[in-house]
Amino acid sequence: GEQVEQRPPHLSVREGDSAVITCTYTDPNSYYFFWYKQEPGASLQLLMKVFSSTEINEGQGFTVLLNKKDKRLSLNLTAAHPGDSAAYFCAVSPITGNTGKLIFGLGTTLQVQP
Amino acid sequence: EAAVTQSPRSKVAVTGGKVTLSCHQTNNHDYMYWYRQDTGHGLRLIHYSYVADSTEKGDIPDGYKASRPSQENFSLILELASLSQTAVYFCASRGGFQAPLFGEGTRLSVL
């Protein structure tokens, strides 16, 4: 079945720097991808939903890139600020089987230092 | 407003006791999920359901049962709680290929 590897597990950057988190997946039939943000003690907040038909997706302060050839999904936070400090999770939704399941990466803990 | 409500928000249970975690959604979503979150393991799927009165095993179902008596409600049952089941549990609902919407989580401590 689908497997998702997320790197790095921990990331520390200074305010104003960029931060890049990458996930690789194995199922070439995966069609929907998600990035979630989780602040300490809180639930998961959806950052972005990505369709496999779109390679570049832009949000507020971040960009998500999808490379279908390499089966790689990346989240690039531009000009990180302390409020971005949180755990980030990618999730992949395989289209096969139609179970609606999401396969999550293990997460990246991002710390943005002032 | 779309919502997933979990209860209780936290619970302390004794080893060998029965624990029931409840989840209620008002989103008219077909899919509901129970995930477990442990440090270093991300989120792992325990059980899920795509229709009332039917549940499916996820990736780590051992030691857990699930019940979906209606479209809105999905429960996770630990018949004999064990120390290893100490974790944070998240319920989620999903409609079609929309992004799953997560509840606030239940912090379970088994002593």
Side-chain angles (χ1 to χ4, degrees), chain A residues 52-83:
Chain A
S52 66
S53 58
T54 306
E55 295 184 341
I56 300 175
N57 298 265
E58 295 186 353
Q60 283 191 328
F62 61 90
T63 301
V64 172
L65 301 177
L66 175 62
N67 183 324
K68 289 182 288 183
K69 175 177 176 290
D70 294 339
K71 296 193 287 293
R72 182 184 300 122
L73 179 73
S74 64
L75 172 68
N76 186 339
L77 281 76
T78 54
H81 57 85

Side-chain angles (χ1 to χ4, degrees), chain B residues 18-110:
Chain B
K18 182 177 181 178
V19 176
T20 300
L21 307 183
S22 300
C23 181
H24 178 78
Q25 57 111 347
T26 59
N27 313 314
N28 200 33
H29 287 168
D30 291 326
Y31 289 102
M32 294 189 75
Y33 308 86
W34 277 106
Y35 283 91
R36 168 179 173 157
Q37 185 175 38
D38 300 272
T39 304
H41 286 279
L43 278 83
R44 294 182 289 176
L45 181 63
I46 307 170
H47 285 287
Y48 65 101
S49 168
Y50 53 85
V51 68
D53 295 323
S54 177
T55 63
E56 303 291 332
K57 293 181 179 180
D59 299 320
I60 53 165
D62 293 345
Y64 303 93
K65 292 184 179 179
S67 173
R68 180 96 181 267
S70 63
Q71 187 191 39
E72 297 80 19
N73 296 293
F74 191 37
S75 298
L76 185 69
I77 302 148
L78 290 67
E79 295 278 3
L80 295 169
S82 66
L83 294 173
S84 65
Q85 293 177 312
T86 292
V88 179
Y89 293 85
F90 287 99
C91 175
S93 74
R94 183 182 187 189
F97 288 108
Q98 297 300 313
L101 184 64
F102 283 83
E104 293 299 310
T106 295
R107 185 173 298 274
L108 175 65
S109 296
V110 182

Side-chain angles (χ1 to χ4, degrees), chain A residues 77-96:
Chain A
L77 281 76
T78 54
H81 57 85
D84 292 328
S85 296
Y88 292 83
F89 295 90
C90 65
V92 177
S93 181
I95 199 169
T96 54

